[in-house]
């Protein structure tokens, strides 16, 4: 099992930026093939935001955040980041990171919830207008 702890959320004005971090720790040797960020706004379904392969530099972001959000990782620190620029009120949500144990996710990441096995508790991002 992978333990994931998110940080970096907060309140920001529209047009501002935040960088989220997700630190992964494992109690034993566990393979992570990809990591991802998802978000859930009040009254809405959880949705995919971004994913990154753990074995190469391939990434993918949702169309709704393309050009504004960037996912990256520090392999040595077992940490994944989500740089969020030009935030708008529609980005307000709880942001969760997740780790995938599925080997094919190592190619380009994965973007479906069922492809992830471990989830963090989330960090709140609130964007004021």
């Amino acid at each position: 099992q992978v333990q994931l702890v998110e940080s970096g959320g907060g309140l920001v004005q529209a047009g501002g930026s935040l960088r989220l971090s997700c630190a992964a720790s494992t109690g034993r040797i566990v393979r992570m093939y990809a990591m991802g960020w998802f978000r859930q706004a009040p009254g809405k379904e959880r949705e995919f935001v971004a994913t990154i392969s753990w074995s190469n530099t391939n990434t993918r972001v949702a169309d709704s955040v393309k050009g504004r959000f960037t996912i990256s990782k520090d392999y040595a620190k077992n940490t994944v980041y989500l740089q969020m620029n030009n935030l708008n009120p529609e980005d307000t949500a709880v942001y969760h990171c997740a780790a995938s144990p599925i080997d094919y996710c190592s190619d380009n990441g994965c973007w479906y919830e069922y492809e992830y096995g471990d989830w963090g508790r989330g960090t709140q991002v609130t964007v004021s207008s």
Side-chain angles (χ1 to χ4, degrees):
Q1 188 175 7
V2 180
Q3 294 181 328
L4 303 168
V5 179
E6 303 96 336
S7 61
L11 174 64
V12 64
Q13 289 189 331
S17 298
L18 284 173
R19 188 176 84 151
L20 305 183
S21 300
C22 174
S25 61
T26 61
R28 55 185 177 88
I29 298 175
V30 174
R31 288 296 305 270
M32 291 191 306
Y33 292 92
M35 292 189 73
W37 286 98
F38 291 76
R39 66 185 182 185
Q40 187 166 21
K44 294 187 177 181
E45 299 281 325
R46 188 158 59 184
E47 64 174 357
F48 166 76
V49 177
T51 183
I52 187 166
S53 165
W54 205 241
S55 61
N56 59 46
T57 58
N58 291 344
T59 65
R60 176 173 174 169
V61 297
D63 289 343
S64 59
V65 304
K66 195 167 292 182
R68 301 188 298 123
F69 290 13
T70 303
I71 187 170
S72 62
K73 69 187 180 192
D74 185 328
Y75 190 88
K77 295 182 179 180
N78 268 5
T79 299
V80 65
Y81 304 98
L82 185 68
Q83 177 67 44
M84 306 186 295
N85 298 327
N86 193 22
L87 286 159
N88 59 60
E90 289 70 40
D91 296 316
T92 295
V94 177
Y95 284 71
H96 298 268
C97 70
S100 174
I102 299 177
D103 55 4
Y104 66 73
C105 292
S106 67
D107 293 337
N108 297 296
C110 277
W111 39 93
Y112 295 113
E113 290 187 44
Y114 68 81
E115 293 171 314
Y116 290 86
D118 294 289
W119 294 79
R121 291 188 174 185
T123 184
Q124 176 70 47
V125 171
T126 303
V127 184
S128 63
S129 58

